[in-house]
Amino acid sequence: MRMSELLLPTLFEEPREAESISHRLMLRAGLIRMLAAGIYSFLPLGNRVLLKVIRIIREEMDRIGAQELLMPALHPKELWMETGRWELYGQDMFKFKDRKDREFGLGPTHEEVITDIVRKIVRSYRGLPKILYQIQTKFRDEPRPRFGIMRGREFIMKDAYSFGRSDEEAGASYENVYTAYCRIFERLGLDYRAVEADPGLIGGSSSHEFMVMAESGEDLTVICDSCGYAANLEQAEVGERRGENKEELRVLELKETPGMKTVEEVSNFLGVSSERLIKTLLYKADGRVIAVLVPGDREVNETKLRRLLGCSCLEMADVKTIEEVSGCEVGFSGPIGLEGVLIIADESIKEGNNFVVGANRTDAHYLNANLDRDFKVGIFGDVKIAEEKDPCSRCQGSLKICRGIELGHVFKLGTQYSEAMHALFMDEEGRERPIIMGCYGIGVTRLIAAIIEQSHDEKGIIWPMSVAPYKILILPVNITDNFQKDLSEELYKELLDQDIEVLIDDRDESAGRKFNDADLIGIPLRLFIGKKAKETGKIEISYRTGEKFFEEREEISEKIKGLIDISAKTPTDYL
Ligand code: ATP
Ligand code: MG
C-alpha cells in the first residue's frame, strides 16, 4: 500500500478527548475515529489490525473444534423474558419498538439466542457436546463509555457457548476454551494472567477472567507473587494472620458516645485505633436479618458473604429494620444482646480482643467487648475485602493489588439457562435432562487497545508482528532524490511480489514528519532508504524497537521474509 493513497489521518498533537495511552495512540495513529460517545469507526489501518486479531481468534477456536455461526443483533423481548433478563439487564440494553409496536433489544450478549437455537435443533445425547461461537457486534448502553474502544457502547465480541451432557463434558469444554484463550493471548504478544472470578451461585473455581495489567485498567486484581494466586478483588480470599494482637482481658464498660456514629468519630473520641473497633453491619439475606462483624478499618466483601451464606439476594438492611432489630439509631448497632440475629464475623475478629462495639443504644458504645464472654458468633468466615499486604490464603505470602483490563471471561453456567428455557436432551436411558452450558467471551476490539497499552513507547505504537497492519515499511527519506525513490519503488515491488504486506511512504513530506509517523503507526520492520544506501550499497533494516543492521541489496527480500517467518512462529519473541 502507498501511504500517499492511504486514508491515514495521523495527528501530531495530543487529542484532547483521549483518556488513556491506547485511546490517544489509536486516535493519533489514525486507527479509529469517534462517531458518538462509545461508538467508533475503524479506519483502514485499524481495520487491518482488527481483521488480524479476528483471524487469530478464529484459528484458535477452530483448533479446539468450536464451530462458528452468526446470530442476529436484534432480539425480541419475549426471548429475554424467558430468563427474566429483560428486566435484569435494565438500561444497559438498548431497547425499542418496531413499526408493529413489538419490543426488541440490541443484543448485549447471546445466551438466550444460542439456547433457543440449540433447544430447537438438539434433542438427543447424540447431538452433544458442542461448542459454538461467533464474532459479532454487541451493544451495551454502558453508563460510562471510556478509553475509546476499551469500553464502547458498540463493540465486537467473540462469544462462545458450550453444550454438554455431563459435568465432565462441560468441564472439558471449559478447559478447551481456556487453553484456546491462552494461545490467542500469547499469539497477540500479551502479558496476561488468568484470575479467579466470582462464579456466583454455581460455586467452585468455575469462572476465570483473563486480565492484562495496565494503569488505565478499571478492574482490580489481587495477586500473590509468592505462589501465583490471582483473583479479582470481588473474589479474592484473604488468609489468616499468624500471631495475634491480644491484650489482657478487661472489664466490659458502657460508654456514652453522643452523636459518634462513624468509625472515625468513635475511634477519635475514645482514642482507640480503628482496628480495635468492630463494625456491625446489618443485612437481609434472602429476607432474613443477619449481622456481619468486620474490623473497623475494613470493608465487607458482599460477594464472599453471599457465597458463604449461599443466598441469592443480599442487601443492606433498611433504616427501619436496623432500628427495630438493634433498638437504637443507625450507627450504634453491636453484637452484644442482638437477640435472634445470626452473627457472622470475619476470621480476623479472632485475632484481637477488648473491642469497641456499638451498644445497641443510641449514643453509646461498649469498651472491652470480648468474643464468647460478651457476644457469640454464629459463623466465622473470610468476608472482608482484600487489601494490599494482606496474607495470601494459599501460602502466607503477601497480597498485592494491581489494576487490570479484562480481556476475556470463561464461565461455567451449569443449567441456569437450559432450565429456564427448557433446553433439554434425551440421555442414553431415555430420560430428559437439561443441557449443561458454559459461556466464554473475548472483547475483540478491546484486545486491540490492550495490545497498545502494553506495547508502545513515547513515540507511538509497537505492533507485535502477528497483528501489525503491515509487516514492513519502506521509507525513502527524500522522495525527490531519484536514487532513493527508484530503489524504494524497486524494493516495494519486490516485496509485494513475494506477498509480503508492505507499506511505502511515498509522500513528499519532510523526513521528520515521515520518521514521526513511522514511529507512531508502529510497523515492526522498516527499510529507511537514505544517503547511506547510495554510498555503501547496503540497506538498513531496523526494528520499530530500535535494533538495526545492514544487508546487501540482493539479500533484502530473503532476509525480510525470514524475519517475518521467525516472528510468526514465536510471536512473543520477535523483539
Ligand atoms: P466489564 O466488567 O469490563 O464490563 P463484562 O464482565 O461486562 O466486562 P462480559 O459480559 O464477560 O464482560 O463480556 C466478555 C468480554 O467482552 C469482556 O471480557 C470484555 O473484554 C469485553 N467487553 C465487555 N464490555 C465491553 C465494552 N463495553 N466495550 C468493549 N469490550 C467490552
Ligand atoms: Mg460490563
Side-chain angles (χ1 to χ4, degrees), residues 146-409:
R146 297 173 79 188
F147 306 133
I149 57 165
M150 190 81 88
R151 181 169 298 284
R153 295 196 296 160
E154 172 176 334
F155 60 96
I156 299 174
M157 196 199 281
K158 188 288 304 166
D159 44 329
Y161 306 88
S162 66
F163 299 85
R165 296 169 283 203
S166 62
D167 286 338
E168 294 74 57
E169 220 162 64
S173 294
Y174 185 87
E175 294 298 322
N176 281 336
V177 178
Y178 187 108
T179 311
Y181 278 24
C182 293
R183 291 186 56 99
I184 290 166
F185 301 136
E186 270 152 34
R187 287 182 64 184
L188 296 176
L190 285 164
D191 180 14
Y192 70 98
R193 254 174 204 270
V195 313
E196 289 178 18
D198 175 34
L201 284 180
I202 296 162
S205 59
S206 47
S207 171
H208 284 89
E209 285 167 358
F210 291 84
M211 314 286 297
V212 295
M213 298 310 146
E215 270 310 304
S216 64
E218 295 181 281
D219 291 296
L220 293 173
T221 299
V222 176
I223 291 168
C224 171
D225 276 337
S226 314
C227 72
Y229 172 69
N232 75 15
L233 187 63
E234 270 199 335
Q235 157 90 359
E237 296 164 11
V238 178
E240 287 176 46
R241 256 181 221 295
R242 294 210 187 113
E244 297 177 335
N245 181 16
K246 286 196 174 161
E247 308 166 336
E248 211 168 291
L249 287 195
R250 288 199 291 264
V251 181
L252 186 69
E253 191 185 329
L254 186 68
K255 190 97 180 162
E256 295 299 319
T257 51
M260 307 291 159
K261 295 185 178 186
T262 64
V263 169
E264 204 188 347
E265 285 164 352
V266 177
S267 78
N268 285 341
F269 183 73
L270 297 173
V272 177
S273 70
S274 55
E275 77 251 23
R276 281 276 171 211
L277 255 67
I278 290 181
K279 269 200 277 203
T280 305
L281 298 149
L282 297 181
Y283 281 89
K284 277 187 179 168
D286 288 339
R288 173 184 179 196
V289 179
I290 57 160
V292 182
L293 311 185
V294 288
D297 57 344
R298 304 301 296 249
E299 304 299 328
V300 173
N301 180 325
E302 294 182 2
T303 306
K304 289 197 284 187
L305 178 61
R306 188 178 295 130
R307 196 122 62 85
L308 180 72
L309 295 169
C311 64
S312 48
C313 177
L314 182 76
E315 52 187 356
M316 292 290 283
D318 52 276
V319 174
K320 194 165 156 272
T321 309
I322 295 174
E323 290 181 347
E324 260 170 37
V325 172
S326 37
C328 63
E329 278 179 25
V330 174
F332 301 96
S333 307
I336 300 178
L338 207 58
E339 295 303 328
V341 174
L342 173 64
I343 297 180
I344 292 140
D346 186 72
E347 299 281 1
S348 56
I349 300 288
K350 287 183 199 158
E351 294 158 13
N353 64 357
N354 293 333
F355 290 112
V356 173
V357 297
N360 295 325
R361 266 180 51 181
T362 301
D363 294 340
H365 280 79
Y366 279 116
L367 304 185
N368 307 324
N370 281 295
L371 184 64
D372 296 332
R373 186 189 72 179
D374 306 314
F375 64 92
K376 298 260 181 301
V377 166
I379 304 174
F380 273 103
D382 168 23
V383 294
K384 61 175 184 283
I385 296 178
E387 285 181 10
E388 192 85 24
K389 298 211 174 65
D390 271 345
C392 171
S393 61
R394 312 276 160 103
C395 77
Q396 289 294 324
S398 175
L399 298 178
K400 220 171 60 181
I401 300 190
C402 308
R403 293 202 151 269
I405 301 166
E406 182 190 320
L407 303 176
H409 196 174

